[in-house]
């Protein structure tokens, strides 16, 4: 009985011997290496533009949705004090449409409402009085009726003609005035004559796609106030929502596209007939500022015509249609949805977000740099799958092959032995000091170490 027990014990020890030997790392050659990511994701620029300042650097940890970069937007500013009378765009709109229809994206009624359209005819005989300078201050008074006076600055000139914006004074429209260089209105300082007119609204131009509006109709602005911001015109439609909304109330007259159809910028999607108004076609009407139709609020007359159908444009491939012919829609209702054939999933808004969790490996751009769609911005090493990479002397390979298991320890915890599977052995060695070294890759458990941490890879004994 005792002999049988001893034999059984010996068998158990012999069976356990390989496991004990596997953990015994003494006598094995060691290759130094580092922890590295198996996969990476290149972050590319979603559209052309200039990058703003950023503090992203190699080694930074990022998560899905983190903001990595931001574009510099092109901002337009008020050039004079006044009141915003019309805003012709909304965030996401292409400024080109408003510029084509209205000649502006925003219209401001300036604090200086009047101007004098003048000519040097009637100026004093001195030649200097027939040469006007942009920006100089002139003084004027009416030539007939009640005397009215004012002053202003020369803002335009061409040949004998010039224009003066009023800065002081309260003159009547169409009042005839003489203009002078001196405020005592002496004849020898007369520089011409002109007529008081009302200034046109100040038209603010814009280029690209509207990314933000800082004002609304009725706002008072000062010269230098920001009005709107724009990004490059090649920004994808997804940067401002993926639906096309109806801006009016009406009835769909016709739908010109089908789901899955490729459409181009400016191509007709549907036609909407407006359902507001109750006047006969070609009826003659007077127009008023007040709803009591008093004569002193009359601003003119006109003729009732039928509006052309509202044409809704789209860009990209139709992913969904939310209306059919004959449907009644309200302003703001979604009509159709689009995707771009080449749009990247990162192209949302003016920030570039990280699509993965990981660590920034390298930043390929600088603040203020012009970038192009598809250009590399940075490389992020993903941390969901790690590997140890070691340069192994050719004499230590000892028949090592892909699929073999090698013990690996991290310098941060040398007591923790990780049994890792070889996934790749480079087929091209690098010669250093009369010896060739080959890169050996072995898988590591996720979370087992920081990227760049030093490792020791224990190789087979000769």
């Amino acid at each position: 009985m005792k002999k049988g027990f001893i034999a059984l014990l010996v068998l158990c020890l012999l069976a356990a011997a390989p496991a004990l030997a596997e953990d015994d790392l003494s006598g094995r050659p060691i290759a130094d290496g580092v922890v590295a990511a198996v996969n990476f994701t290149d972050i590319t620029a979603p559209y052309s533009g200039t990058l703003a300042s950023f503090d992203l650097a190699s080694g930074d940890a990022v998560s899905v949705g983190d903001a990595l970069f931001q574009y510099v937007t092109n901002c337009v500013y008020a050039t004079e004090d006044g009141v915003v009378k019309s805003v012709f765009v909304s965030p996401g709109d292409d400024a080109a449409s408003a510029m084509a229809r209205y000649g502006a994206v925003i219209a401001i009624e300036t604090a200086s409402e009047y101007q004098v359209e003048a000519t040097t005819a009637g100026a004093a005989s001195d030649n200097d009085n027939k040469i006007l300078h942009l920006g100089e201050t002139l003084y004027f008074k009416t030539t007939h009726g009640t005397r009215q006076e004012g002053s202003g600055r020369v803002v335009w000139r061409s040949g004998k003609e010039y224009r003066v914006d009023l800065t002081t004074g309260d003159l009547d429209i169409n009042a005839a005035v003489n203009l002078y260089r001196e405020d005592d209105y002496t004849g020898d300082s007369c520089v011409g004559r002109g007529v008081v007119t009302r200034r046109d609204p100040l038209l603010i131009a814009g280029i690209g796609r509207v990314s933000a509006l800082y004002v609304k109709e009725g706002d008072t602005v000062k010269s230098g106030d920001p009005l709107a911001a724009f990004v490059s015109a090649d920004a994808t439609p997804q940067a401002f929502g993926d639906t096309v909304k109806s801006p009016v109330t009406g009835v769909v007259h016709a739908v010109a596209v089908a789901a899955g159809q490729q459409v181009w910028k400016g191509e007709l999607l549907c036609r909407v007939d407006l359902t507001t108004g109750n006047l006969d076609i070609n009826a003659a009407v007077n127009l008023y500022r007040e709803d009591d139709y008093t004569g002193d609020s009359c601003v003119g007359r006109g003729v009732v015509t039928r509006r052309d159908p509202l044409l809704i444009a789209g860009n990209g491939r139709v992913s969904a249609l939310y209306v059919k012919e004959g449907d009644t829609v309200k302003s703001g209702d979604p009509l159709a949805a689009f995707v771009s054939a080449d749009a990247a999933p990162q192209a949302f808004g003016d920030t570039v977000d990280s699509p993965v969790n990981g660590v920034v490996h390298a930043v390929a751009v600088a603040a203020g740099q012009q970038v192009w769609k598809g250009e590399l911005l940075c490389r992020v090493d993903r941390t969901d799958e790690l590997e140890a990479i070691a340069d192994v002397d050719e004499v230590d390979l000892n028949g090592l092959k892909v699929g073999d298991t090698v013990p690996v320890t991290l310098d941060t915890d040398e007591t923790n032995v990780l049994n890792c599977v070889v996934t790749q052995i480079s087929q091209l060695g690098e010669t250093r000091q009369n010896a060739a070294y080959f890169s050996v890759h072995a898988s590591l458990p996720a979370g087992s170490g920081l990227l760049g941490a030093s490792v020791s890879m224990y190789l087979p004994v000769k």
Side-chain angles (χ1 to χ4, degrees), residues 69-153:
F69 304 94
Q70 189 166 8
Y71 281 93
V72 174
T73 56
N74 298 317
C75 203
V76 294
Y77 301 87
T79 55
E80 296 186 45
D81 297 352
V83 175
V84 177
K85 283 301 181 183
S86 299
V87 178
F88 303 120
V89 292
S90 298
D93 287 352
D94 187 345
S97 298
M99 292 297 298
R101 184 169 185 180
Y102 305 105
V105 293
I106 295 172
I108 296 175
E109 190 170 279
T110 58
S112 174
E113 299 182 57
Y114 302 103
Q115 62 189 9
V116 175
E117 298 287 353
T119 175
T120 55
S125 57
D126 189 339
N127 284 336
D128 286 344
N129 287 334
K130 297 179 181 178
I131 302 175
L132 281 302
H133 306 284
L134 290 177
E136 74 171 304
T137 299
L138 299 179
Y139 305 89
F140 37 82
K141 64 179 181 178
T142 52
T143 58
H144 304 289
T146 303
R147 175 166 171 160
Q148 296 176 319
E149 299 176 352
S151 63
R153 296 174 66 235

Side-chain angles (χ1 to χ4, degrees), residues 236-239 241-245 257-265 267-270 312-322 335-341 343 348:
T236 57
Q238 289 86 341
D242 60 357
T243 60
V244 178
K245 296 182 178 180
V257 291
Q261 176 181 335
Q262 176 71 42
V263 297
W264 307 105
K265 186 175 182 179
E267 185 175 350
L268 175 67
L269 302 180
C270 72
I312 307 298
N315 187 22
R317 188 175 296 277
V318 181
S319 61
L321 280 175
Y322 305 125
L335 305 178
F338 300 84
V339 295
S340 175
F348 293 92

Side-chain angles (χ1 to χ4, degrees), residues 163-343:
R163 182 180 302 125
V164 180
D165 284 351
L166 271 68
T167 55
T168 66
D170 186 15
L171 285 79
D172 295 333
I173 297 292
N174 297 323
V177 296
N178 288 333
L179 296 98
Y180 304 83
R181 279 205 166 100
E182 305 297 334
D183 59 4
D184 58 3
Y185 307 108
T186 56
D188 57 1
S189 73
C190 182
V191 293
R193 60 173 66 101
V195 176
V196 177
T197 62
R198 185 177 181 85
R199 284 188 62 183
D200 291 333
L202 180 64
L203 301 181
I204 305 297
I207 299 175
R209 194 173 295 277
V210 182
S211 63
L213 278 175
Y214 304 127
V215 294
K216 61 182 182 300
E217 294 180 1
D219 282 355
T220 299
V221 295
K222 296 283 188 183
S223 178
D225 284 352
L227 305 176
F230 300 83
V231 295
S232 174
D234 71 354
T236 57
Q238 289 86 341
F240 305 96
D242 60 357
T243 60
V244 178
K245 296 182 178 180
S246 173
V248 296
T249 299
V251 175
V252 176
H253 179 85
V255 177
V257 291
Q261 176 181 335
Q262 176 71 42
V263 297
W264 307 105
K265 186 175 182 179
E267 185 175 350
L268 175 67
L269 302 180
C270 72
R271 179 166 292 175
V272 176
D273 290 337
L274 303 182
T275 55
T276 57
N278 191 27
L279 293 169
D280 294 333
I281 298 296
N282 298 323
V285 295
N286 289 333
L287 298 100
Y288 303 82
R289 277 206 167 98
E290 306 297 334
D291 59 7
D292 58 3
Y293 307 107
T294 55
D296 56 1
S297 73
C298 182
V299 293
R301 59 174 63 98
V303 175
V304 176
T305 61
R306 184 177 181 84
R307 281 192 62 178
D308 291 334
L310 181 67
L311 305 181
I312 307 298
N315 187 22
R317 188 175 296 277
V318 181
S319 61
L321 280 175
Y322 305 125
V323 294
K324 62 182 182 299
E325 295 180 9
D327 282 354
T328 298
V329 295
K330 293 187 177 298
S331 177
D333 284 353
L335 305 178
F338 300 84
V339 295
S340 175
D342 63 352

